[in-house]
Every structure is written in structure tokens, then in C-alpha cells.
Amino acid sequence: MMEIRFFEEKVEELYLMKGLITGPAHLYFGEEAVAVGVASALKEGDLIISNHRGHGHALAKDIPMKEVMAELFGKATGTCKGLGGSMHVAISPERGSLFASAIVGSGIPIAVGVALAFKYEKSDRVIAVFFGDGAVNTGAFHEAVNMAAIWNLPVILVCENNMYAIGMKAEKAVALKNLAERALGYGIPGVIVDGNNPIAVWLATKEVVEKARKGCGPTFLECKTYRLKGHGIYDQARYRLRDEVEAWLKKDPIINFKKNLIGLNVLSESDVKAIEEEIKSELEEAVAFAQNSPILPFEELKNYVYA
Amino acid sequence: MRELTYGEAIREALRNALIKNPKVFLIGEDIGAYGGAFKITNSFLEEFGAERVKDTPISEAAIVGAAIGAALMGLKPIAEIMYMDFIPICLEQLANQAAKIRFMSGGKLKVPIIVRTQYSLGRAHGAQHSQFIPSWFLQVPGLKVALPSTPYDAKGLFNQALKDDNPVLYVECSLLYRVKGPVPEEDYTIPFGKADVKKEGEDVTVVAISRMVHEALAAANILEEKGLSIEVIDPRTIQPLDIEAIIDSVKKTGRVIIAEDDCKTGGVGAEIAALIVEKAFDYLDAPITRVAAPDIPIPFSPKLELEYMPNKDKIIQAVNSLLKG
Ligand SMILES: Cc1ncc(C[n+]2csc(CCOP(=O)(O)OP(=O)(O)O)c2C)c(N)n1
């Protein structure tokens, strides 16, 4: 989680202060526990599908920081050879991070197709697809969840309810108190979990993953969390109320988890320091790597159009 | 005349429409409190209220579908689809419903909606957030497609769309939002299907679409210093297309380049080229040349994207090789 947080801080700095990276970037501040909790509950062979807010998903899936950073710089050494950018950084099938769509909701039917293939091949693999509270209002979501349900497919529908879709509040976009209630309409279980607690996310995911593995079909997992910053890097998020932001700042998953680990004597203050130092130096290396990497020669682009 | 930016001109046209016609309402994602992804509708929510500035969930098909229904009931909806890349999500509503209803109902119904969208090529937004796909709509009779390139055209074409009783796809270019130009205060209109000669010339005709109008003008200025005279024509709408104006120009110059931001294969330029060959083959002194994007998805890497994009240099090169040939 700390890796994701430091990474995002660095990205913010590189964008806003140094102008070294361009294009949109949707940061993951505050939602780290979801990616980490879900990723740690998956086994080798399982897959995830990410969305436009994918830096955290990529790092949680252990895609090396330097590849993620290089992608943000548009370099040939990035996860997508510089052809994807921020909204597609989490594309690294060899590491279990299959695809990332920047069209909201559109990754969900693709995940259903992956699960269909898993089932067809009688494997016990599962796929987790990440999407936001906004995505549950797309046609793609409804059609996909229905299919996953009728075919009993091993899909974990991970809804990262960070309460906003750009400026649209989830409670204004959906006439239900909990998004997980949507699951009922499709005849599948809906589970609500504290998305700021990595252990809670991990436990819940583990359980529904095991069920999916055994052939019990999809689950809608609503992770209640909060986007501590704006929608994208240039969004000041003035549409939020101060009280709301402050309340969520108190629930910062990283601060709290750190406190808990220290309180339980799992880690000492100096262990934490050491981990932080290690991440920071890795991050500096990643930035240098990204800066010094070449971009793809233009003539090579045509090689990536058709297989 | 006072100057406005392209974005301000669109904003003014929208605002005037809301003020003048109570049947007009806006519908789209984040157009209210957020002010629109490109801030075109900033503060409209406070000014006109939530009934007339309708923030929606992320539901592109439903946005266009709802606009169609409201239009059938006599309202004048203006829908916003944030990026042109998302139009395929509502393509069914736009092409099969909106564009067909008039025809299928034997003329009993009409669908006077405006769907505003923009393309973000040149802003490192990646392959799903930069596409310019106007040619997809050339095969959708029943739809009109406007592609303003200047603040003046932006307001005039929008006002025309307001008067039109058909579905109009109005495609903005986000790289142009800050471009300035003269815009009259009054509510003038620009007829659809009427091209504009942005610059007169004798040697080569450049038919340029949307952003490429500016690249073509820049190229023309550079070439002028070398004694070449370039005519730049902006069709402004591609459906209907003012082929006569293009032909007239070709008759004068004998040479034509078509400059566009979409892919070369099957692009708008392909259609224009075919029409020129059909109608003015004898007047051509050289092959028709297209300056367009390659048939490659748009790369994220800003440098590669820049190379990908058609620009004034590529137009100059095309002019030079046309004149050599
Ligand atoms: C189909 C589609 N419509 C609109 C957009 C523009 N857009 C990008 S992210 C976003 C909000 C998504 O909200 P949510 O699904 O809750 O995810 P979050 O950004 O909160 O993580 C929107 C509207 C898009 N990318 N795709």
C-alpha cells in the first residue's frame, strides 16, 4: 500500500511541478487497500482486469514500478511500450493483470468472457474485474453481470465505491443505499466490505474467490472507500464537502494499517522507516529508468496493429 | 468585432439557447456541478437549475435514448457525450434510432436532438480517448454532422443545429477550445452543407476538416512566402457535404489535397476524393492526395502521437510533391 501511495505522490509531483508526464492520470489515493486486498487473495493463474484508475492495481499485482513509471512517460520500456499511458498501465498478462479499459464499464463484459473460457476449459481459475461506482450504470455492466450470473461464471465483480464518478455522487446516480443490492436483481450474492481495511478486503475476496473456484459463480463485492483527491490530476474536487473529506482522511487506510501493525507489534517504527526508505529509493530508480528510456520508433507502431 | 475562444463561442450559443427556448435542456455526464469535462457548461447548473442541466450517470446509450424520447415529445435536447470515442456506446441509439425514426415513421415523427461531442487528439489521452471518427457517420442517412473549426463557425453551426429538426452530431475539437476569433453578439446561423473558403488561392486546393483547417492555413502562409498560392476550403458539415464548392475550387486549381485527422482508410477524405473523381476528373492535373492519420490506433506516448498526427509540415510536403509530379 505504501508503495502505491508513494508512487502516486511522485506521479503528482512529476505532472504538476515538473511537467515531465502529460495526459490524464487518475490517482488512487485512499483506495490502496482495495487493490492490495484483492490482489493478495488471488493465486497464480488468476487474472484481474483494471480500468482507468489502474496505477494501484498494477503495483498490487507486482508489476515493477519502473515499468509502470515508464508507461506514464510514454516510453518503450513501459507496460504497454508507451502506447497505453496512465489509463492502461495495468496491462501485463504475464503477471496476471490482463487488460485495462478506459471506457467505463467496458472491462466487465471482457472479464465475463475470460471467465467463460476458464469454465470451458474446466480450470479453477478466477478473474477479478475492478470498476467504480459509476460503472454500475453502464449498459455493459448490466449485460455482463446478467451473463455471468446465468452462466455461473467465476468472476469477482470488484466495485470500488469511492463515492464519486468524476463529480457525480454515487448516491445521486443510483437509487439504492448500497450498490451491492444490485446483485440481488441478477440472482447473485452482493457483499459489502470496508474498502479502507486491507485485511477485510483480503478476507472477503478470499472467501468469494474460493466459492467461484468451486463453481458457485460470481459475486458482487462492494468495497466502500473514498478517493482522497480529485478525479484526475487536474481536478481540485471543489464539489466535495470539507467535512466529508476530513472524515475520510481520518480513515486513511495506510495511516491506520501502519498504526495497527505497530500496535500489534508486528512491525516496529524502525521497520516502517526501513520499508519507506526502500520504496523511496526504488521509486527514484524507477523515475530515472523512465526518464532515460527510449520511446518506440514511429515505424514500429504498425507492427502492433495486427497480430 | 469582439473575439471569443472556440470554447466560449460554444458556451455562448448553448447559454443563449437555454435562455431563449424553454424547450431546450442539456443532458450529459458531469455537465452540472462539475461544469462539463471541458468546462463548457460551467455555472449553467446554478443559472438554469437541475431540470434544464441534467447530470446523468455514466450511461451513454441512455443519454442519447432519453434525448430521443424527449425530442419525440417536442423538447429540444442537447446531449453531451464526453469523448467521441464513447459514441460507439450509443451508436445504436444514434444511428438505428435517432437517424431512422423519421424515415420509419413515414415522416410522422421527428428527432430534433443535438449530440455534442469532442475529440482529444494531441493531448496524450491514449487510443480510447483521442479518436476522430467522423467517417463512421457518412453511412448514416438521417443524421447531420457538423465539424466547426473556428469560433465563428462554432456558434453559427450550433445555432443552425438548434433550428434543425433532425438529429445533429456536432463534433468539437478539444485542441481548438482556446483558439480565438471574431464572433458576433447576435444569434446568426450558418447553413448546413455550405463550405467556407477560409483562404483563396490559385495553385492547390486544400480541403481541410476541423483542426486541420488551422494546419492548412499555417501551411498556406509558409508556402505563400515561396510564391505559392493555396486555397483552403472547410466543408464545415460532412453530412450534408458541399461538394459543389470543392469542385469549383478544383476546377480553378486542378490540384487537391484533403487534410483530416481521421485514419486515411475509409476516412472522410476517401469519400471526397471519390466525389471529385466522379464529378471533376477532367479538371485534375495531378492525383488527389490525402494527408490523414495512419491506420494505427493512437499511441499514448506524446512524441509518437505528435508523429502520428497530420500537420502543416505534412501538408507542405504533399503540396511540394504534387507540384513536382
Ligand atoms: C463509457 C465512458 N463514459 C465516460 C467516461 C469518462 N469518464 C472517465 S472516468 C469517469 C468516472 C468513472 O467513475 P467510476 O466508475 O466511479 O470510477 P472512479 O473514477 O471513481 O474510480 C468518467 C465519467 C469514460 N471513460 N467512459
Side-chain angles (χ1 to χ4, degrees):
Chain A
M1 288 202 293
M2 254 154 31
E3 190 178 319
I4 300 173
R5 178 65 58 93
F6 288 171
F7 184 89
E8 298 294 54
E9 282 172 357
K10 183 53 102 185
V11 171
E12 204 174 31
E13 173 193 328
L14 292 169
Y15 260 87
L16 297 179
M17 321 226 297
K18 307 219 167 103
L20 279 172
I21 322 181
T22 45
H26 307 93
L27 302 178
Y28 203 56
F29 282 89
E31 307 183 43
E32 296 89 347
V34 182
V36 171
V38 170
S40 28
L42 297 173
K43 284 210 298 222
E44 203 177 324
D46 294 339
L47 296 174
I48 67 154
I49 285 183
S50 168
N51 63 354
H52 59 281
R53 197 178 296 285
H55 304 175
H57 306 151
L59 295 174
K61 285 302 291 177
D62 283 335
I63 300 177
M65 225 186 238
K66 57 182 195 175
E67 283 183 36
V68 180
M69 192 60 90
E71 188 57 35
L72 295 180
F73 275 73
K75 298 299 182 73
T77 51
T79 44
C80 309
K81 297 194 158 66
L83 305 183
S86 167
M87 295 191 281
H88 310 276
V89 282
I91 301 184
S92 183
E94 64 285 5
R95 294 193 186 85
S97 184
L98 182 65
F99 178 64
S101 170
I103 308 289
V104 171
S106 291
I108 312 172
I110 298 172
V112 168
V114 170
L116 186 66
F118 287 167
K119 190 163 180 181
Y120 187 80
E121 289 176 346
K122 300 200 168 49
S123 89
D124 68 349
R125 300 166 73 185
V126 303
I127 179 148
V129 53
F130 291 94
F131 53 88
D133 44 279
V136 304
N137 303 311
T138 63
F141 167 86
H142 293 280
E143 296 178 13
V145 175
N146 186 52
M147 273 186 196
I150 56 175
W151 294 334
N152 212 33
L153 299 176
V155 191
I156 314 304
L157 301 148
V158 184
C159 178
E160 303 184 287
N161 183 355
N162 62 15
M163 291 181 45
Y164 286 92
I166 308 190
M168 168 61 85
K169 254 195 141 157
E171 64 192 40
K172 284 200 180 156
V174 179
L176 287 171
K177 194 148 179 289
N178 297 302
L179 301 181
E181 293 166 36
R182 280 265 161 102
L184 285 177
Y186 295 99
I188 64 168
V191 175
I192 297 173
V193 60
D194 174 0
N196 278 29
N197 178 345
I199 303 291
V201 177
W202 173 64
L203 285 174
T205 313
K206 242 167 91 93
E207 192 179 327
V208 301
V209 162
E210 284 324 309
K211 275 166 78 181
R213 234 189 261 300
K214 286 196 206 115
C216 298
T219 303
F220 184 98
L221 189 65
E222 179 185 0
C223 303
K224 293 203 187 272
T225 181
Y226 192 73
R227 192 189 71 199
L228 288 175
K229 301 245 171 172
H231 168 68
I233 211 151
Y234 293 109
D235 174 17
Q236 307 294 318
R238 297 222 170 83
Y239 43 84
R240 302 181 309 181
L241 296 174
R242 174 176 282 183
D243 289 355
E244 176 186 294
V245 179
E246 275 170 9
W248 280 96
L249 277 170
K250 293 203 186 88
K251 298 190 216 169
D252 186 320
I254 293 176
I255 297 176
N256 289 332
F257 193 52
K258 214 180 341 186
K259 239 193 255 162
N260 283 348
L261 291 180
I262 293 170
L264 293 167
N265 281 328
V266 180
L267 287 179
S268 68
E269 296 272 2
S270 64
D271 290 340
V272 174
K273 276 254 146 47
I275 296 172
E276 286 179 353
E277 289 313 313
E278 196 185 321
I279 296 173
K280 283 192 173 150
S281 77
E282 200 188 327
L283 195 51
E284 288 313 316
E285 277 169 38
V287 174
F289 173 79
Q291 269 188 294
N292 297 328
S293 289
I295 59 168
L296 217 56
F298 190 79
E299 310 72 62
E300 269 191 41
L301 295 191
K302 62 180 185 304
N303 302 335
Y304 299 101
V305 183
Y306 295 103
Chain B
M1 198 188 295
R2 79 192 165 135
E3 299 230 321
L4 291 185
T5 65
Y6 182 85
E8 285 162 354
I10 296 165
R11 182 182 159 74
E12 181 170 285
L14 279 166
R15 190 164 166 268
N16 286 348
L18 282 162
I19 292 171
K20 288 188 180 159
N21 183 353
K23 293 199 181 296
V24 166
F25 73 96
L26 312 187
I27 178 168
E29 293 164 18
D30 278 297
I31 61 171
Y34 192 76
F38 299 87
K39 300 292 172 206
I40 302 294
T41 54
N42 214 0
S43 80
F44 281 11
L45 179 64
E46 289 91 86
E47 190 174 353
F48 299 102
E51 289 278 285
R52 303 193 65 205
V53 182
K54 291 196 96 57
D55 255 334
T56 68
I58 307 169
S59 307
E60 279 75 9
I63 291 169
V64 175
I68 294 171
L72 288 173
M73 296 294 108
L75 297 183
K76 182 77 189 183
I78 301 170
E80 176 171 328
I81 299 296
M82 214 181 263
Y83 282 74
M84 193 170 200
D85 313 67
F86 311 157
I87 292 275
I89 302 170
C90 53
L91 189 55
E92 202 284 318
Q93 290 290 334
L94 194 59
N96 286 343
Q97 312 300 335
K100 302 288 195 293
I101 287 176
R102 176 89 187 147
F103 182 80
M104 293 189 302
S105 68
K108 282 187 192 151
L109 300 172
K110 57 183 184 183
V111 186
I113 62 170
I114 303 176
V115 177
R116 286 179 52 229
T117 191
Q118 62 77 39
Y119 74 104
S120 277
L121 182 64
R123 302 176 69 229
H125 274 42
Q128 293 178 329
H129 279 73
S130 313
Q131 294 172 88
F132 184 53
I133 42 178
S135 62
W136 294 23
F137 306 97
L138 286 177
Q139 288 212 327
V140 186
L143 197 64
K144 296 189 179 179
V145 185
L147 302 150
S149 67
T150 62
Y152 180 86
D153 290 356
K155 184 170 171 185
L157 290 170
F158 189 84
N159 284 338
Q160 183 64 31
L162 278 172
K163 291 194 168 166
D164 205 295
D165 271 340
N166 296 287
V168 176
L169 179 64
Y170 178 93
V171 186
E172 299 158 24
C173 168
S174 71
L175 275 187
L176 298 180
Y177 280 135
R178 288 175 191 199
V179 168
K180 277 199 158 184
V183 179
E185 308 252 1
E186 71 269 12
D187 271 332
Y188 60 98
T189 55
I190 294 172
F192 286 170
K194 184 144 182 25
D196 187 35
V197 179
K198 297 282 190 232
K199 183 183 169 303
E200 295 204 26
E202 303 294 328
D203 299 326
V204 178
T205 297
V206 179
V207 180
I209 291 164
S210 190
R211 187 183 72 87
M212 290 310 284
V213 169
H214 300 269
E215 297 294 321
L217 288 171
N221 285 339
I222 294 168
L223 290 165
E224 203 149 89
E225 287 163 19
K226 297 188 184 139
L228 288 173
S229 139
I230 310 294
E231 179 144 310
V232 178
I233 294 202
D234 176 358
R236 298 198 288 202
T237 56
I238 54 165
Q239 167 105 268
L241 175 72
D242 186 358
I243 191 64
E244 282 71 33
I246 295 170
I247 300 286
D248 286 347
S249 178
V250 172
K251 283 182 181 168
K252 183 163 76 169
T253 62
R255 292 183 174 82
V256 61
I257 289 168
I258 305 157
E260 58 188 343
D261 264 333
D262 48 343
C263 290
K264 186 169 176 181
T265 300
V268 175
E271 179 61 24
I272 294 176
L275 287 169
I276 294 171
V277 171
E278 269 177 23
K279 295 179 186 246
F281 183 73
D282 292 343
Y283 292 93
L284 287 172
D285 298 329
I288 299 169
T289 303
R290 285 178 282 160
V291 174
D295 295 333
I296 294 175
I298 297 156
F300 157 73
S301 185
K303 286 192 183 130
L304 291 173
E305 186 183 34
L306 214 56
E307 247 181 283
Y308 170 96
M309 289 166 68
N311 59 20
K312 65 174 189 305
D313 298 333
K314 291 175 189 169
I315 295 173
I316 291 172
Q317 251 172 31
V319 169
N320 288 337
S321 58
L322 257 192
L323 290 172
K324 247 185 252 149

Coordinates of all heavy atoms in Angstrom, one line a residue, chain B residues 25 89 144 150 162 180 191 203:
Chain B
F25 N -33.1 21.7 -23.2 CA -32.4 21.3 -22.0 C -31.1 20.5 -22.3 O -31.0 20.0 -23.4 CB -33.3 20.5 -21.1 CG -33.6 19.1 -21.5 CD1 -32.9 18.0 -21.0 CD2 -34.6 18.9 -22.5 CE1 -33.2 16.7 -21.4 CE2 -34.9 17.6 -22.9 CZ -34.2 16.5 -22.4
I89 N -20.7 3.6 -28.0 CA -21.5 3.0 -26.9 C -23.0 3.4 -27.2 O -23.9 2.7 -26.8 CB -21.1 3.5 -25.5 CG1 -19.6 3.1 -25.3 CG2 -22.0 2.9 -24.4 CD1 -19.0 3.7 -24.1
K144 N -27.1 14.5 -39.4 CA -26.3 15.5 -39.9 C -25.1 15.6 -39.0 O -25.1 15.4 -37.8 CB -27.1 16.8 -40.0 CG -28.3 16.8 -40.9 CD -28.9 18.1 -41.1 CE -30.1 18.0 -42.1 NZ -30.7 19.3 -42.3
T150 N -13.7 27.1 -36.3 CA -13.4 28.4 -35.8 C -14.5 28.8 -34.8 O -15.6 28.2 -34.8 CB -13.4 29.4 -36.9 OG1 -14.7 29.5 -37.5 CG2 -12.4 29.1 -38.0
L162 N -29.7 24.1 -33.8 CA -30.9 24.4 -32.9 C -32.2 24.4 -33.7 O -33.2 24.0 -33.3 CB -30.7 25.7 -32.2 CG -29.8 25.7 -30.9 CD1 -29.6 27.1 -30.5 CD2 -30.5 24.8 -29.8
K180 N -8.8 31.7 -30.6 CA -9.7 32.9 -30.6 C -10.1 33.3 -32.0 O -9.3 33.0 -33.0 CB -8.9 34.0 -29.9 CG -9.0 34.0 -28.4 CD -8.7 35.4 -27.9 CE -9.3 35.5 -26.5 NZ -9.1 36.7 -25.9
P191 N -25.7 28.0 -42.6 CA -26.4 26.9 -43.2 C -25.6 25.6 -43.2 O -24.4 25.7 -43.5 CB -26.8 27.4 -44.6 CG -26.0 28.5 -44.9 CD -25.5 29.1 -43.6
D203 N -3.1 27.8 -56.8 CA -2.3 26.7 -57.3 C -2.8 25.3 -56.8 O -2.7 24.3 -57.5 CB -0.8 26.9 -56.8 CG -0.2 28.1 -57.4 OD1 -0.6 28.5 -58.6 OD2 0.5 28.8 -56.7

